[in-house]
């Protein structure tokens, strides 16, 4: 008997139907020589600290670091899970062959292998590896079953990730809770969670401590066209006024006209992160909601596997393109021109085997999209239009640059004209076009005809402007920052290069953001993300850079990817993590600082931003009370402070500066946490 293990009951039913295993049993389906069973995601997990040593149940500094000599797994303590595990265990005991039908990714591989390992599987194991749940894809997958050993490195990377998260999370959470927690509240620390919080906190502090500076811009209007001085900004009004007075009585003369024709490529196909970014921008969907929606579309067979980090397709998809296009009901006006051509366009910007590892970009399957929700319709439409546009010709554009001068002061104006829309016809409105089209209005302007040497009167003006602080992170910008280890870049080629050092995986980033909400480290107002007082103080308290640096954490992520591709040794990675945990514990034990304020959520805040309850395993020890030094005392709100000092009373180095919501220290980047809020 062949035993198939799917990751959830719905997928098991799909597989059983195709295999003709139609007899229902308790916890599995049987027939035609197959038994098809399922997990519910994770059935097994790593053991709790006290399951290694009883003394590790107590939250005490002297018990840290906790580094088990060998990690073990256990079945999760839940009646339903234990019952299903028993079913799987009994099936595997009598199996001739096992087919791992788990989710085709790192987490799916880990889930299934832990179950088989705990159940004592001894028979040969094959792997079903598919990118969609259509009947054709499942049949093709069973015809081309792979050997389980081919995915050994994928499992090792998943295992190393899980152990790494356990080592850092368990030790650092207890360490900082005991040292800096109060009122029996847990200060949760995570390998990816904490540097993600730091991205939000650092941006927020940068905004609060931002000092706007005035600058002046010189522009002039000639023939209803706005020209900007090529000199750029003036730092003083006197300098700007001097240039204005120089040109105000002079004629404007056109000195050069350059027209350059070019191509605009279709927007790239979606990977999970770019889809989450786009949905947050266009529909205000959270990263988690987008993941749930595209996962639902995948399970309904409408789109391909979603947890991917590539925007490319492999060459073997190209022969399937015509049938996919034919199946896209409601999009015939755009698919018909492609199908009517002699040959469908095949671009290296779309098809590139070297850019595809386990799975290709997210695309529609060609199955008719019936009975889907409004959110699913929106996400499906984004994915489908991107796919169709990939087979249209480039958009032909003409970019014109006009140079002119008045009294030898040089000016420039640029404009763009669409000559042939190409792929743009697939997008009905501006809202449907990709984000990179939202250029400045001056850049998009269509300019009138100009001739070199022409001249005439113009209307110059000097305008005062102020430098602006960066914007608060949204989920869209935070996802991009996580993907590129804190470096926000627009260029897609550069972004691809930085992905290797991104923090977290595409499939886990949404959950990381939701975890920050649940632990009340961040909150959301409209689209903007703000760190709570607890979140800010936690990041300012952590002095060990590796715990909160996106760039340094990205190095660890790169090593996990290298383990997956057999370029890095799992044992070496774990040894490095153990050493890091030991170093953190030694350093923090010797630190001395004040307790971190625990901010409670407002009653009207969303459920996801409620503070997470304490772990079930044990209660943390309440930190010892001590008297604060004068410098450590929590400042009163500004309304109650008679005068604001010039020099920071906390560090004695920085100057006290006024931010948007509080007074703070100019040395905040160096770790000074002095802050006086304007109001309660």
């Amino acid at each position: 008997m062949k035993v198939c293990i799917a990751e959830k009951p719905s997928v098991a039913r799909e597989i059983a139907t195709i295999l003709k295993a139609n007899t229902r049993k308790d916890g599995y389906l049987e027939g035609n020589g197959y038994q098809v069973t399922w997990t519910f995601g994770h059935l097994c997990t790593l053991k709790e600290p006290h399951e290694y040593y009883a003394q590790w149940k107590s939250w005490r500094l002297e018990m840290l670091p906790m580094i088990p000599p060998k990690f073990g797994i256990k079945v999760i303590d839940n009646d339903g899970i234990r019952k299903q595990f028993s079913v799987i265990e009994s099936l595997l005991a009598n199996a001739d062959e096992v087919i791992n039908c788990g989710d085709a990714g790192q987490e799916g591989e880990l889930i299934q292998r832990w179950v088989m390992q705990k159940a004592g599987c001894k028979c040969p194991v094959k792997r079903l590896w598919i990118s969609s749940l259509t009947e054709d894809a499942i049949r093709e997958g069973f015809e081309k079953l792979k050997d389980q050993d081919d995915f050994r490195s994928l499992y090792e990377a998943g295992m190393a990730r899980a152990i790494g998260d356990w080592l850092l999370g368990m030790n650092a959470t207890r360490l900082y809770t005991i040292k800096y927690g109060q009122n029996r509240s847990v200060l949760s620390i995570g390998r990816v969670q904490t540097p993600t919080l730091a991205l939000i906190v650092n941006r927020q502090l940068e905004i609060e401590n931002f000092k706007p500076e005035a600058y002046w811009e010189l522009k002039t209007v000639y023939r209803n066209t706005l020209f900007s001085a090529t000199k750029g900004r003036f730092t003083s009004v006197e300098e700007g006024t001097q240039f204005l007075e120089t040109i105000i009585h002079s004629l404007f003369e056109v000195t050069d006209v350059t027209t350059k024709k070019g191509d605009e490529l279709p927007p790239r196909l979606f990977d999970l992160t770019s889809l989450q970014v786009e949905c947050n921008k266009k529909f205000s969907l959270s990263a988690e909601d987008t993941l749930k929606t595209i996962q639902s579309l995948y399970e309904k067979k409408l789109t391909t596997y979603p947890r991917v980090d590539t925007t490319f397709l492999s060459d073997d998809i190209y022969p399937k393109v015509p049938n996919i296009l034919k199946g896209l009901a409601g999009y015939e006006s755009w698919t018909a021109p492609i199908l009517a051509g002699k040959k469908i366009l095949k671009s290296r910007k779309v098809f590139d085997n070297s850019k595809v590892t386990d799975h290709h970009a997210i695309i529609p399957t060609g199955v008719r999209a019936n009975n889907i929700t409004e959110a699913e319709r929106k996400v499906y439409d984004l994915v489908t239009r991107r796919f169709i546009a990939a087979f249209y010709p480039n958009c032909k554009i003409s970019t014109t640059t006009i140079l002119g001068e008045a009294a030898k002061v040089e000016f420039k104006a640029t404009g763009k004209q669409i000559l042939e829309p190409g792929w743009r016809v697939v997008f009905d409105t501006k809202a449907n076009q990709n984000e990179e089209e939202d250029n400045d209005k001056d850049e998009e302007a269509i300019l009138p005809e100009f001739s070199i040497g022409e001249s005439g009167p113009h209307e110059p003006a000097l305008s005062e402007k102020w430098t602006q602080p960066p914007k608060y992170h949204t989920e869209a910008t935070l996802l991009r920052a996580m993907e590129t280890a804190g470096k926000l870049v627009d260029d897609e080629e550069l972004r691809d290069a930085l992905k290797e050092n991104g923090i977290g995986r595409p499939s886990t980033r949404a959950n990381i953001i939701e975890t920050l909400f649940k632990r009340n480290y961040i909150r959301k107002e409209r689209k903007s993300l703000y760190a709570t007082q607890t979140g800010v103080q936690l990041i300012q308290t952590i002095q060990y850079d590796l715990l909160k640096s996106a760039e340094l954490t990205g190095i660890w992520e790169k090593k996990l990817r290298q383990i997956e591709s057999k370029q890095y040794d799992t044992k070496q990675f774990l040894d490095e993590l153990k050493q890091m945990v030991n170093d953190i514990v030694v350093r923090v034990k010797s630190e001395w600082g004040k307790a971190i304020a625990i901010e409670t959520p407002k009653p009207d805040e969303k459920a996801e931003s409620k503070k997470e309850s304490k772990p079930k395993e044990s209660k943390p020890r309440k930190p010892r009370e001590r008297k604060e030094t004068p410098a450590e005392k929590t400042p009163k709100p500004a309304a109650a402070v008679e005068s604001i000092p010039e020099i920071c009373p906390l560090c004695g180095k920085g100057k006290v500066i006024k931010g948007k919501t509080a007074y703070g220290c100019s040395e905040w980047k160096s770790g000074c946490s002095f802050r006086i809020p304007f109001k309660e």
Side-chain angles (χ1 to χ4, degrees), residues 546-612:
L546 197 55
L547 272 181
K548 61 181 180 178
S549 165
E551 193 167 356
L552 293 175
T553 304
I555 295 171
W556 292 95
E557 287 288 342
K558 181 179 180 180
K559 289 177 179 178
L560 283 165
R561 288 176 175 84
Q562 288 175 330
I563 290 172
E564 190 172 320
S565 59
K566 303 178 183 178
Q567 297 175 336
Y568 205 80
D569 182 61
T570 306
K571 184 180 181 302
Q572 184 177 346
F573 173 81
L574 292 176
D575 286 345
E576 290 170 359
L577 259 177
K578 290 172 185 177
Q579 184 60 52
M580 184 190 78
V581 166
N582 190 69
D583 291 346
I584 292 171
V585 170
V586 170
R587 181 181 298 191
V588 176
K589 277 183 177 180
S590 64
E591 290 177 358
W592 195 254
K594 63 180 181 180
I596 292 172
I598 305 298
E599 183 177 325
T600 56
K602 297 176 183 177
D604 59 343
E605 285 185 352
K606 291 182 179 180
E608 66 260 24
S609 60
K610 289 181 181 178
K611 187 172 60 181
E612 188 178 61

Side-chain angles (χ1 to χ4, degrees), residues 490-670:
D490 293 324
D491 183 80
E492 288 188 326
E493 299 290 339
L494 179 55
R495 202 154 61 217
D496 277 348
L498 291 171
K499 277 183 182 181
E500 193 175 354
N501 281 30
I503 61 173
R505 291 178 68 86
S507 56
T508 62
R509 289 175 188 140
N511 181 255
I512 291 295
I513 296 171
E514 289 303 312
T515 297
L516 294 176
F517 279 121
K518 289 174 184 175
R519 288 170 178 163
N520 200 36
Y521 288 161
I522 64 173
R523 58 186 173 83
K524 185 190 292 186
E525 290 183 13
R526 295 184 180 178
K527 283 189 176 184
S528 297
L529 301 178
Y530 298 86
T532 62
Q533 184 183 12
T534 305
V536 172
Q537 288 190 7
L538 179 61
I539 294 303
Q540 290 179 329
T541 299
I542 295 171
Q543 300 301 312
Y544 199 88
D545 281 343
L546 197 55
L547 272 181
K548 61 181 180 178
S549 165
E551 193 167 356
L552 293 175
T553 304
I555 295 171
W556 292 95
E557 287 288 342
K558 181 179 180 180
K559 289 177 179 178
L560 283 165
R561 288 176 175 84
Q562 288 175 330
I563 290 172
E564 190 172 320
S565 59
K566 303 178 183 178
Q567 297 175 336
Y568 205 80
D569 182 61
T570 306
K571 184 180 181 302
Q572 184 177 346
F573 173 81
L574 292 176
D575 286 345
E576 290 170 359
L577 259 177
K578 290 172 185 177
Q579 184 60 52
M580 184 190 78
V581 166
N582 190 69
D583 291 346
I584 292 171
V585 170
V586 170
R587 181 181 298 191
V588 176
K589 277 183 177 180
S590 64
E591 290 177 358
W592 195 254
K594 63 180 181 180
I596 292 172
I598 305 298
E599 183 177 325
T600 56
K602 297 176 183 177
D604 59 343
E605 285 185 352
K606 291 182 179 180
E608 66 260 24
S609 60
K610 289 181 181 178
K611 187 172 60 181
E612 188 178 61
S613 59
K614 300 185 289 293
K616 292 181 181 179
E617 49 155 312
S618 57
K619 294 180 180 179
R621 196 180 94 182
K622 186 176 181 180
R624 290 174 303 196
E625 293 184 359
R626 62 179 179 80
K627 292 182 179 180
E628 292 181 323
T629 64
E632 290 175 335
K633 288 182 179 177
T634 305
K636 297 176 182 178
V641 178
E642 293 181 2
S643 61
I644 302 298
E646 290 185 9
I647 304 299
C648 174
L650 187 56
C651 70
K653 298 178 183 177
K655 293 182 179 180
V656 176
I657 56 178
K658 185 177 180 181
K660 280 194 171 183
T661 61
Y663 291 94
C665 177
S666 61
E667 292 291 308
W668 62 271
K669 283 189 176 180
S670 301

Side-chain angles (χ1 to χ4, degrees), residues 52-158:
Y52 295 102
Y53 300 107
Q55 60 266 37
W56 281 358
K57 189 165 187 175
S58 300
W59 287 46
R60 301 203 309 271
L61 278 181
E62 57 267 30
M63 292 292 104
L64 302 178
M66 301 178 295
I67 301 176
K70 185 179 180 181
F71 280 85
I73 57 174
K74 65 171 184 174
V75 178
I76 293 173
D77 190 13
N78 172 280
D79 290 342
I81 286 176
R82 286 196 173 278
K83 180 182 177 183
Q84 186 61 21
F85 178 79
S86 295
V87 170
I88 297 171
E89 191 174 31
S90 62
L91 293 177
L92 294 187
N94 300 305
D96 299 314
E97 181 179 275
V98 173
I99 303 173
N100 177 354
C101 303
D103 200 10
Q106 189 185 100
E107 194 71 5
E109 190 69 17
L110 183 69
I111 287 170
Q112 303 298 83
R113 290 224 189 193
W114 273 358
V115 168
M116 289 186 284
Q117 181 182 325
K118 191 65 180 174
C121 178
K122 303 294 183 185
C123 59
V125 181
K126 296 291 185 182
R127 185 59 159 105
L128 175 70
W129 193 267
I130 53 178
S131 289
S132 78
L133 293 176
T134 62
E135 185 175 328
D136 287 345
I138 295 173
R139 287 187 189 280
E140 186 179 341
F142 270 95
E143 289 169 3
K144 299 177 181 178
L145 288 173
K146 300 179 183 296
D147 195 80
Q148 176 87 331
D149 289 341
D150 295 347
F151 301 91
R152 176 75 191 177
S153 61
L154 187 70
Y155 162 67
E156 288 183 353

Side-chain angles (χ1 to χ4, degrees), residues 290-387:
T290 300
L291 177 55
K292 286 179 179 176
T293 304
I294 192 64
Q295 179 70 24
S296 176
L297 289 169
Y298 168 64
E299 291 173 12
K300 291 178 179 179
K301 309 179 185 180
L302 300 179
T303 56
T304 57
Y305 185 73
R307 299 164 189 263
V308 298
D309 60 359
T310 182
T311 57
F312 292 87
L313 299 176
S314 50
D315 287 335
D316 63 333
I317 300 299
Y318 180 71
K320 302 175 183 178
V321 170
N323 283 336
I324 296 174
L325 292 171
K326 288 173 185 175
L328 299 176
Y331 296 87
E332 290 85 356
S333 60
W334 297 294
T335 59
I338 304 173
L339 294 168
K342 291 181 180 180
K343 189 178 180 182
I344 293 177
L345 179 69
K346 185 181 181 184
S347 167
R348 283 285 292 176
K349 295 293 183 182
V350 178
F351 294 92
D352 189 342
N353 283 339
S354 67
K355 301 289 180 65
V356 179
T357 51
D358 298 333
H359 296 283
H360 54 69
I362 304 169
I363 61 173
T365 60
V367 173
R368 192 179 185 90
N370 295 325
N371 301 320
I372 59 176
T373 66
E374 181 61 26
E376 288 172 343
R377 171 66 62 189
K378 288 178 178 178
V379 175
Y380 177 79
D381 186 64
L382 282 181
V383 172
T384 301
R385 287 177 189 264
R386 284 275 178 111
F387 179 71

Side-chain angles (χ1 to χ4, degrees), residues 1-39 84 87-88 91 99 101 128 142:
M1 190 71 73
K2 294 181 179 180
V3 176
C4 301
I5 311 176
E7 195 171 322
K8 58 179 64 177
S10 60
V11 177
R13 287 193 293 270
E14 296 285 350
I15 291 171
T17 300
I18 290 166
L19 296 177
K20 294 182 171 53
N22 299 321
T23 304
R24 291 183 176 274
K25 300 283 188 177
D26 188 10
Y28 65 102
L29 297 111
E30 186 176 79
N32 196 30
Y34 289 93
Q35 293 171 326
V36 183
T37 186
W38 54 84
T39 63
Q84 186 61 21
V87 170
I88 297 171
L91 293 177
I99 303 173
C101 303
L128 175 70
F142 270 95

